[in-house]
Structure formats: C-alpha cells, structure tokens
Amino acid sequence: MADDGSYRQVLGSPPTDLTPAALSQWKEVAKDFGSFHRLIRGQGGARHHADDVLAEAKKKFHNHLRRNGPVSGKPRSYFGMICKNAAKDHFNYLKKLSEDFLLDDTSPHAEKRLQDSTLNKDLLALVEVEDRLRGSLKLLKEELSPHELTVFILREAHEYDTAAIAEYTGSTKDAVRQTLLRANKKIRGPVLKRKLYLFRLVPD
C-alpha cells in the first residue's frame, strides 16, 4: 500500500520519485488512462467503481516503479493486468460487503441514541432511509436465498451487469440471469411487494 504522499502523486502530476526509465514507462501508460478507464467501465459496475479501480491500479503501478524500477516487457500490458486484478478485488470486496451486510440483523440506530442525539434534519432523514432499507432487507432475506439477494444487490445497487457477475463468481451469464429472474419474481410477488410498500421502497 502506497503512503499518503505517494497516493497524492499518483492522482496528481507525474511522480517525481521515479528513475528516468521508470518515469518514462509511467508517462507511456498515463497517456492511455482514459482508455483503461473505459475498459474497466466496460466490465460492468457503476462509474465510481471504475474510478476506484483505476486509482488503485495507479497506486500499485507507481509502487512497483518506485520500488523495483521499470517493468520488464510492455508497460501497458503490465498495467492492464494490474487493472484486471484490481477490478476483481474490488468486486470481491463489494460482494463480501453485501454478504456481511445481509448477516447483520442489528439496527445501527438505537431509539435512545436518536432521542438523545443532536443530529440535524438532513442526517435524521438519512438515518430514516437507512433504517427503511435495513427493514426491507430483512423482509427480502425471508423470501430470497442469500445467493439470490447477493446477486440482486450486485446488479441493482452496484450496477454490475450479468457478464461481470458471472465472470467474477465463476458462474455463467445464463445462471446469473436465472438467479435475477427468480429474485425479481419473488420481489414482485403480491405479499412481499405489499410489505415493501410499507417501507416506501416500491411504487403503489
């Protein structure tokens, strides 16, 4: 992991702590950062995920150049490999985050804490939305399997397409589509839809 100074250098001007040969490789790759961002974005997921993945890839590439000097072979190919691994790591992080969130049945906002707090109205509104979301997820957990709900969150919340979910989970696009169809069918069922409406998360 790069230190804070290194991180700022990566996201800002060309690094000043590289050897001339390493800096030359950095500049060669930097010309195509936009293309790499589009490639990452094309793998699925919301735009800000591509931003995060590219930033992490830049840090790792800079770290290698700073510590080990120029890469052997083509620097663009090496950076492409870093991007691919960073994209997979980011997906796995979000997947684990989703799975851990589904296992958490506790509310982060105890009633007494809300009564005694000095939260402003905007933050109270955010608390209300978060509690509604947690309440809805508890309902979803009663009807959907953990796998169905995880895939549903990755698709609907994090905006990964079926191809990316299939690739990163070792599944197939057809299997992911079937999982999403089952999840959506259950969610749109009359009983669950009526319950979710109480949390104002689905239209009447």
Side-chain angles (χ1 to χ4, degrees):
M1 177 66 69
D3 58 29
D4 289 341
S6 174
Y7 182 81
R8 284 194 295 272
Q9 286 174 329
V10 168
L11 296 183
S13 302
T16 58
D17 55 354
L18 302 179
T19 65
L23 181 59
S24 176
Q25 288 192 343
W26 172 270
K27 290 180 177 179
E28 177 182 345
V29 173
K31 291 185 298 184
D32 293 320
F33 280 159
S35 298
F36 282 109
H37 186 279
R38 287 190 291 273
L39 287 173
I40 296 168
R41 182 72 178 90
Q43 295 176 7
R47 178 183 177 84
H48 64 272
H49 294 323
D51 296 340
D52 293 341
V53 169
L54 184 61
E56 183 64 22
K58 289 179 181 179
K59 287 196 295 180
K60 290 182 177 180
F61 185 51
H62 172 258
N63 262 347
H64 178 93
L65 294 176
R66 180 167 56 86
R67 295 174 179 173
N68 305 308
V71 302
S72 59
K74 298 180 179 179
R76 289 187 80 263
S77 298
Y78 183 82
F79 187 74
M81 179 186 67
I82 293 177
C83 288
K84 183 177 180 180
N85 291 336
K88 185 172 183 179
D89 289 344
H90 189 72
F91 176 90
N92 288 333
Y93 164 75
L94 293 174
K95 180 173 180 288
K96 186 176 187 308
L97 202 65
S98 300
E99 292 169 343
D100 290 345
F101 187 72
L102 297 180
L103 293 174
D104 181 12
D105 288 325
T106 61
S107 171
H109 306 291
E111 183 177 354
K112 187 175 186 304
R113 179 182 171 189
L114 285 177
Q115 291 173 345
D116 296 341
S117 69
T118 57
L119 299 174
N120 60 41
K121 291 182 179 180
D122 289 340
L123 192 50
L124 280 173
L126 182 62
V127 167
E128 181 185 356
V129 170
E130 183 176 343
D131 280 343
R132 291 208 314 269
L133 288 172
R134 283 182 175 271
S136 68
L137 281 173
K138 288 181 180 180
L139 290 175
L140 292 174
K141 286 166 62 177
E142 296 174 359
E143 301 294 332
L144 276 64
S145 71
H147 176 67
E148 288 171 343
L149 193 47
T150 297
V151 170
F152 179 80
I153 291 175
L154 289 169
R155 176 69 188 95
E156 298 300 328
H158 298 301
E159 301 179 26
Y160 280 98
D161 57 29
T162 54
I165 295 173
E167 177 183 355
Y168 291 139
T169 59
S171 184
T172 65
K173 289 189 290 186
D174 286 341
V176 172
R177 288 194 191 99
Q178 289 300 317
T179 300
L180 289 170
L181 284 173
R182 289 196 305 272
N184 280 293
K185 184 177 180 180
K186 293 177 181 179
I187 290 170
R188 288 181 170 83
V191 175
L192 185 56
K193 186 175 181 179
R194 186 166 59 252
K195 291 180 179 179
L196 288 174
Y197 176 70
L198 298 177
F199 289 94
R200 288 177 285 170
L201 293 172
V202 296
D204 193 2

